[in-house]
Amino acid sequence: LYGYRLRQGIGPLKKELGTPAKVHRFDDGYAAYAWKFADHVLVLETDNTRPDLVWAIQIEGKANPPEMGLEGINLGDTSDMVIKKLGRPDSTENAMDEISHEKMKDIVYYSYLETGNFSIEMTAGKVSSIKLQFNGPANTVVDDTHALDRFLREVKKGNRYRVASYLAADVSISWKGKKFR
């Protein structure tokens, strides 16, 4: 999501993105770093045991940069497009108003946390948030043994976006005048 990977070091990303607009530290040791852009917000979270690694990536707002969504899903896409590309969610739930404790009809959460590791928030039938999170225990070290196989598969497919994201978060590739990150 957004050209970044879960469990990569957050230090280089903070250097690349600059000072976050907001940092929130949770009581359990997790932290969220938020950067505001024209039509969206990027949030990178770290967990309590490895505050140096990205635990979750979230984008929210009206629109994200091209090819920076999740599996072809972008902020502003319709619910029909989400289901067509990702399948039916594991569960759906209306958001709850914090004050009245009533369900909000216009905001629905699509959870893909049983079959995947992400969720999507729909506002008035359009994607308003995409969140990708690490599914393992907080202190798990990710074994990326099969990364080469996945990388080569994406090279064969010609998926420049995936190839660039496997190389590194700060690598960009130019191809025929177009930049892929």
Side-chain angles (χ1 to χ4, degrees), residues 15-80:
K15 185 176 180 183
E16 174 187 326
L17 294 164
T19 304
K22 184 176 183 179
V23 176
H24 181 81
R25 299 197 186 282
F26 297 92
D27 292 339
D28 60 2
Y30 284 69
Y33 302 85
W35 289 268
K36 291 184 182 182
F37 299 98
D39 291 331
H40 67 285
V41 173
L42 167 66
V43 179
L44 300 176
E45 294 181 38
T46 61
D47 70 22
N48 58 350
T49 63
R50 292 297 308 269
D52 58 322
L53 300 178
V54 174
W55 178 80
I57 305 164
Q58 181 176 6
I59 55 174
E60 52 187 49
K62 295 180 182 180
N64 54 273
E67 300 187 30
M68 294 293 208
L70 180 68
E71 297 296 325
I73 298 298
N74 295 291
L75 297 173
D77 285 348
T78 65
S79 57
D80 289 341

Side-chain angles (χ1 to χ4, degrees), residues 1-18 33-35 37 40-45 53-59 65-71 117 130-134 144 161-172 180-181:
L1 182 59
Y2 213 78
Y4 299 135
R5 294 183 315 269
L6 298 175
R7 307 303 280 176
Q8 77 180 90
I10 195 163
L13 303 183
K14 291 192 315 190
K15 185 176 180 183
E16 174 187 326
L17 294 164
Y33 302 85
W35 289 268
F37 299 98
H40 67 285
V41 173
L42 167 66
V43 179
L44 300 176
E45 294 181 38
L53 300 178
V54 174
W55 178 80
I57 305 164
Q58 181 176 6
I59 55 174
E67 300 187 30
M68 294 293 208
L70 180 68
E71 297 296 325
N117 62 335
I130 304 169
K131 184 173 184 177
L132 179 67
Q133 67 187 46
F134 183 64
D144 214 7
Y161 168 72
R162 287 281 185 215
V163 169
S165 70
Y166 278 126
L167 291 173
D170 58 353
V171 170
S172 63
F180 297 87
R181 239 175 154 234

Side-chain angles (χ1 to χ4, degrees), residues 134-180:
F134 183 64
N135 256 358
N139 61 356
T140 299
V141 175
V142 176
D143 176 11
D144 214 7
T145 307
H146 303 290
L148 181 59
D149 292 338
R150 291 192 308 266
F151 173 76
L152 293 174
R153 191 169 43 246
E154 296 303 331
V155 168
K156 286 179 185 176
K157 286 189 214 172
N159 188 341
R160 294 176 198 94
Y161 168 72
R162 287 281 185 215
V163 169
S165 70
Y166 278 126
L167 291 173
D170 58 353
V171 170
S172 63
I173 296 174
S174 295
W175 179 265
K176 296 182 182 178
K178 189 173 181 183
K179 229 177 201 186
F180 297 87

